[in-house]
Amino acid sequence: MSLHGSGTRPQDTPGGTANGADANGTNGVTEAAQLPADLQDERLIAGHGISGAVAAFTARLRSGDLGSVPVVIGLVIIWAVFQIANGSFLSSRNLVNLTLQTTSVGVIALGIVLVLLLGEIDLSVGSVSGLSAAVLGVTFVNKGWPLVLSIVAGIVLGLVIGLFYGALYTRFGVPSFVITLAGLLGFLGLQLLVLGKEGSLNLPYDSALVGFATRSFLSPVVAYALIVVVAAAYVLTRLRTRSARAAAGLSTAPTSMIAIKAAALVLVLLIPVLILNGDRGVSSMFLLFLALVVATDLVVRRTRWGRSVVAVGGNVEAARRAGINVRMIYLTVFAACSTFAAAGGLLAAARLVAVNQSSGGGDTNLNAIAAAVIGGTSLFGGRGSAYSALLGALVIMSISNGLALLSLDSSVRYMVTAGVLLIAVTIDSLSRRSRQAHGRA
């Protein structure tokens, strides 16, 4: 059974053939390529090398499985436009600032991605992030708690809120929209109560958390070494997978394909690092965000829990009949979302070196939800990736950063962001229709 509720393969369809041909003997999937394999699974044509991979990629695009292609193209266009309008946009200093601005929004968006995979929504991530930041500020600055204990208190608060949401959803069937809308208002009020009459707290500039968020950067040697480690880990993982598939008698990717992908990965990582090292370098806080993205992606793709999340989002009834504990999945996903929101709030407070009544307010909800959707996570559930949070956050914060460099006010930023969000949702809807027409929804 497929994770997206489509348990029928072309070779199982009446009138179909082993290679996906239709009743007239024409292969509707491969068309021009005419490969003797079902291109709905790229691994099945790995033995065809580069030509097979290109044919599989083209077939996926034609069937509406666009992945991250639209957002990558959009990001390139946005950067090109702002660079033409202001030559300092792609400067080392501005890109370092962009990575710092992206981190907190991106961390919150990671939680939104998980909730959207279920086809649900959390409208309170901004309020949760602000409340957690307020707890950090009050306990650390006013109460004199150790920094680690204050950080733990803020994170645990987010976890408890998420468990509360999950319990309401699974026990009473209250729609997530209503639950989290109430949370948005209620936790905003609680944040104001926690901060008290002063309403603002400055975090000690010499504290470890503020130093991590504002002054901690990787040395060039460490940054380049990390690229080598990541590339080596990728190659070893792919070779291990290749060996396991060969031992099972399955098709394997040629070594040349692995080498090409590894070289592309090194290039994608090396160019940004070279540019960032022209100023302060790669921020430790941004590196933490990247680590969370990779870890979340691995959890979603490689663990039973992650596959269950995608299965529930694709078809909840089919997932239940397959033996998945649907209630536990909802409970843990809401908990994870609020925990990410709390972590993002703490990082935002550390970067701004302050906590106040507007922490987590303003456009925090807009940016986090828009980042997840613009990055490629489907609003209909069952489709998305942790990398959606990274790409979407870069798009959102690039727009904000670029417009600020052009000295345009918030009104323009809101309208531009709304337009980009509308385009992203439209593309998602159209690609979903195309996937359904090709039997890949």
Side-chain angles (χ1 to χ4, degrees):
M1 182 187 70
S2 168
L3 291 181
H4 301 299
S6 177
T8 303
R9 295 178 59 83
Q11 55 263 50
D12 299 325
T13 304
T17 64
N19 65 353
D22 58 22
N24 297 322
T26 302
N27 191 326
V29 177
T30 59
E31 293 181 350
Q34 294 294 317
L35 293 176
D38 179 4
L39 294 185
Q40 290 191 41
D41 188 343
E42 187 175 347
R43 294 171 300 178
L44 296 180
I45 51 82
H48 293 278
I50 298 176
S51 61
V54 171
F57 179 72
T58 303
R60 291 203 311 271
L61 292 182
R62 289 178 177 177
S63 66
D65 191 359
L66 302 179
S68 300
V69 173
V71 67
V72 171
I73 294 175
L75 187 60
V76 171
I77 293 174
I78 289 171
W79 283 9
V81 170
F82 282 129
Q83 178 64 17
I84 293 173
N86 188 314
S88 63
F89 178 78
L90 292 180
S91 66
S92 297
R93 175 167 292 275
N94 190 60
L95 290 183
V96 170
N97 291 334
L98 179 60
T99 61
L100 294 173
Q101 296 164 0
T102 298
T103 299
S104 58
V105 172
V107 171
I108 298 174
L110 273 174
I112 295 295
V113 168
L114 294 176
V115 170
L116 289 179
L117 282 174
L118 291 179
E120 302 297 334
I121 191 63
D122 188 339
L123 300 177
S124 69
V125 288
S127 296
V128 173
S129 68
L131 176 59
S132 297
V135 169
L136 166 71
V138 170
T139 57
F140 180 50
V141 177
N142 291 350
K143 303 296 183 181
W145 288 17
L147 177 60
V148 174
L149 185 57
S150 295
I151 292 175
V152 171
I155 297 295
V156 170
L157 176 62
L159 174 64
V160 171
I161 291 173
L163 292 174
F164 173 67
Y165 286 163
L168 287 177
Y169 183 86
T170 57
R171 292 287 181 179
F172 305 106
V174 184
S176 60
F177 178 90
V178 177
I179 297 173
T180 57
L181 181 60
L184 182 155
L185 299 173
F187 294 125
L188 174 59
L190 186 56
Q191 175 185 344
L192 300 179
L193 181 64
V194 169
L195 288 173
K197 295 181 179 180
E198 293 183 1
S200 180
L201 291 170
N202 293 323
L203 301 179
Y205 190 73
D206 59 352
S207 64
L209 181 61
V210 173
F212 173 77
T214 60
R215 303 187 299 276
S216 180
F217 296 87
L218 302 183
S219 67
V221 174
V222 173
Y224 296 135
L226 278 177
I227 294 177
V228 174
V229 170
V230 170
Y234 173 80
V235 171
L236 291 176
T237 301
R238 298 291 297 190
L239 289 177
R240 182 179 178 182
T241 302
R242 184 177 187 272
S243 177
R245 290 181 62 82
L250 301 174
S251 60
T252 58
T255 306
S256 59
M257 179 61 66
I258 297 177
I260 291 173
K261 290 184 177 180
L265 175 63
V266 170
L267 189 63
V268 168
L269 296 177
L270 183 60
I271 292 177
V273 170
L274 283 171
I275 297 175
L276 295 176
N277 283 339
D279 188 57
R280 287 157 287 177
V282 180
S283 165
S284 297
M285 185 171 69
F286 186 68
L287 182 63
L288 171 63
F289 171 44
L290 294 180
L292 289 175
V293 170
V294 173
T296 303
D297 176 68
L298 291 175
V299 168
V300 171
R301 292 190 300 109
R302 298 296 182 88
T303 68
R304 181 177 180 179
W305 178 84
R307 290 190 291 268
S308 297
V309 170
V310 178
V312 172
N315 190 320
V316 63
E317 186 58 33
R320 181 180 289 109
R321 295 187 180 189
I324 295 175
N325 188 338
V326 174
R327 286 191 173 185
M328 184 57 65
I329 294 299
Y330 279 110
L331 190 69
T332 52
V333 167
F334 278 115
C337 179
S338 291
T339 302
F340 275 123
L346 300 186
L347 292 174
R351 184 178 70 84
L352 298 174
V353 201
V355 180
N356 53 50
Q357 295 176 343
S358 64
S359 296
D363 55 3
T364 301
N365 271 337
L366 164 69
N367 288 339
I369 296 174
V373 176
I374 291 173
T377 305
S378 176
L379 288 169
F380 303 101
R383 301 185 69 88
S385 165
Y387 291 99
S388 300
L390 171 61
L391 294 172
L394 283 174
V395 169
I396 290 294
M397 300 316 297
S398 293
I399 293 173
S400 177
N401 181 283
L403 293 178
L405 288 178
L406 297 177
S407 300
L408 298 175
D409 58 24
S410 298
S411 61
V412 178
R413 178 164 58 86
Y414 282 129
M415 289 186 287
V416 172
T417 303
V420 173
L421 177 61
L422 182 60
I423 292 173
V425 175
T426 301
I427 292 175
D428 178 37
S429 299
L430 293 176
S431 62
R432 182 170 181 264
R433 289 183 183 180
S434 181
R435 290 193 304 269
Q436 288 176 336
H438 287 79
R440 299 185 62 165

